[in-house]
Amino acid sequence: MNARQNVALQPYNTFGIVAKAHTLVQIATEADVQQVLADATLARQPKFVLGGGSNIVLTGDVKPLVLKVEIMGRRRVEETPRAWIVEAGAGENWHGLVDWTLAQGYPGLENLALIPGTVGAAPVQNIGAYGVELQDRFASLDAIDLETGKSFTLDAAQCAFGYRDSVFKHVASDARHFGLAGRALITRVRFHLPKPWKPVLGYLDLEKKIAETGVHTPSARQIFDWICAIRSAKLPDPRVIGNAGSFFKNPTVTPDQCADIIARDPRVVHYPMPDGSVKLAAGWLIDACGWRGKSVGNAGVYEKQALVLVNRGGATGGEVVTLAKAIQTSVYERFGIRLEPEPVVV
Ligand code: EPU
């Protein structure tokens, strides 16, 4: 185990914000976690688990001990008549895993291509795109309790997945409210990729690709290529322009609230949900308030997708947060909707 002091975090957060970790330990194996917990000085410190850094805004140097998860490995653990079960180390790159599963002949993750971040971070916010959420392909995960050092396994129900939400985003408030935020370090994730494979094509952008190409029965690899093209066309590549993907969640409202918003602007993009609620496109609300392309200092609103905040070069976390708050205020004043940020502000 190697505990390093004053480690630059700019390469480890996709926003590219300049900040340092007071102390950082690279976690390559489960044993590395046990060594941290056995170390008299490190064990006592509050801890911050860092995956691919694709869902955080750093507003200063990180004082808690940073555990940078680099547990690798990808393997098929089982094949049954109904599914392929694949396992990956939490430190594996997410997109790399999607590509690898397709190359091995295990389709099912193609709609989630090109999402930045690591495998271990994927369940935390139940990543989702183009009609598929992580929970639709999830089998189980292994984690270590950073307070007790005990390893445990959770199934999907225990992860309490919701829209960009899971048990890992909540703090245990009392005996009735179970939460693992800041407490669990995810080590390995297993995926359930159902057989026979069925393409998920019901998303407008994919329907457009089918119409454009005339390919009505695409392979999983073809869908993967389409998703990569769709995302590249409207989302900034974090290696070129720092960002953390969608900055806000798409809000859910009641049909009455939606009718009120339609009265304010009939063009509002909204989708009825199976439970009777209505989901609004946060990107549209932000765009309608005139934010697309605007900036606060070096933090800006991406020109091609107003839901994405970007680092135009040298942005501080404070500038990103100030911009986000200004957006929240104007969306609230115009539409009466409170936007909830997706990334964790550290
Ligand atoms: N829109 C605008 N102006 C904008 C942005 C969007 O009018 O500046 C409109 C679009 O025209 C479209 C609607 O808003 O009618 C929705 O936009 P889009 O299809 O780009 O999807 P989104 O709802 O903004 C969500 C996810 C993305 C995911 C896509 C595709 C959330 C918070 N975001 O975005 O996830 O890739 O759908 O499934 O749910 C992420 O979480 O980081 C992420 C990128």
Side-chain angles (χ1 to χ4, degrees):
M1 183 193 62
N2 177 15
R4 290 185 290 140
Q5 314 293 321
N6 287 323
V7 181
L9 290 176
Q10 191 182 17
Y12 302 147
N13 74 97
T14 61
F15 247 120
I17 289 169
V18 175
K20 277 188 203 148
H22 283 205
T23 311
L24 182 145
V25 176
Q26 279 157 296
I27 303 293
T29 65
E30 283 84 344
D32 289 339
V33 182
Q34 298 306 340
Q35 280 193 32
V36 168
L37 299 180
D39 182 292
T41 318
L42 300 178
R44 273 186 284 118
Q45 295 182 24
K47 296 170 191 67
F48 176 75
V49 179
L50 178 65
S54 59
N55 208 39
I56 55 172
V57 183
L58 297 173
T59 54
D61 291 346
V62 181
K63 293 187 188 73
L65 172 65
V66 176
L67 302 177
K68 184 165 183 302
V69 182
E70 296 179 0
I71 300 171
M72 308 308 270
R74 301 181 294 219
R75 66 189 180 112
R76 188 190 76 193
V77 279
E78 203 185 340
E79 180 172 358
T80 72
R82 302 178 62 136
W84 296 276
I85 309 293
V86 170
E87 181 185 84
E92 289 285 346
N93 172 267
W94 173 262
H95 178 72
L97 172 69
V98 176
D99 194 12
W100 178 84
T101 52
L102 293 176
Q104 303 299 308
Y106 318 137
L109 297 177
E110 54 283 350
N111 291 50
L112 302 175
L114 222 57
I115 296 181
T118 54
V119 165
V124 175
Q125 54 156 342
N126 184 22
I127 57 171
Y130 304 99
V132 176
E133 281 186 322
L134 178 106
Q135 64 173 333
D136 305 324
R137 303 286 182 265
F138 180 86
S140 61
L141 61 77
D142 299 333
I144 299 176
D145 184 330
L146 294 173
E147 284 172 23
T148 65
K150 291 214 172 86
S151 297
F152 58 94
T153 298
L154 298 183
D155 63 19
Q158 291 166 317
C159 288
F161 291 122
Y163 167 59
R164 297 293 189 273
D165 197 27
S166 74
V167 70
F168 302 102
K169 285 188 122 181
H170 295 268
V171 181
S173 50
D174 57 48
R176 279 183 307 122
H177 295 94
F178 186 58
L180 289 171
R183 182 157 179 183
L185 184 144
I186 296 169
T187 53
R188 289 172 203 282
V189 184
R190 282 168 295 277
F191 302 90
H192 178 273
L193 308 175
K195 283 194 216 173
W197 171 72
K198 283 197 209 76
V200 178
L201 297 168
Y203 203 92
L204 186 65
D205 285 331
L206 285 170
E207 284 170 4
K208 280 190 201 155
K209 285 283 177 201
I210 293 170
E212 259 168 52
T213 58
V215 178
H216 290 272
T217 51
S219 64
R221 180 58 76 173
Q222 174 70 83
I223 296 172
F224 172 92
D225 290 341
W226 283 345
I227 298 285
C228 291
I230 293 164
R231 289 186 73 97
S232 306
K234 72 167 144 193
L235 296 170
D237 179 348
R239 287 168 303 185
V240 184
I241 305 173
N243 75 90
S246 299
F247 200 91
F248 299 100
K249 295 183 191 183
N250 283 331
T252 303
V253 296
T254 63
D256 283 351
Q257 284 171 306
C258 188
D260 172 56
I261 294 164
I262 291 171
R264 297 182 203 207
D265 192 327
R267 294 165 300 173
V268 61
V269 177
H270 58 288
Y271 319 94
M273 303 301 287
D275 65 0
S277 64
V278 183
K279 194 170 261 192
L280 305 177
W284 185 91
L285 297 171
I286 298 167
D287 196 3
C289 291
W291 280 102
R292 189 142 52 95
K294 295 272 167 60
S295 299
V296 164
N298 293 318
V301 181
Y302 192 52
E303 283 72 10
K304 294 184 210 163
Q305 192 357 331
L307 195 50
V308 179
L309 303 192
V310 294
N311 180 353
R312 300 207 191 278
T316 63
E319 284 173 331
V320 174
V321 171
T322 305
L323 173 60
K325 288 202 169 126
I327 291 170
Q328 283 172 308
T329 303
S330 65
V331 168
Y332 183 70
E333 282 172 358
R334 169 111 187 254
F335 296 107
I337 297 287
R338 288 187 199 279
L339 292 181
E340 197 187 322
E342 201 178 86
V344 177
V345 177
V346 183

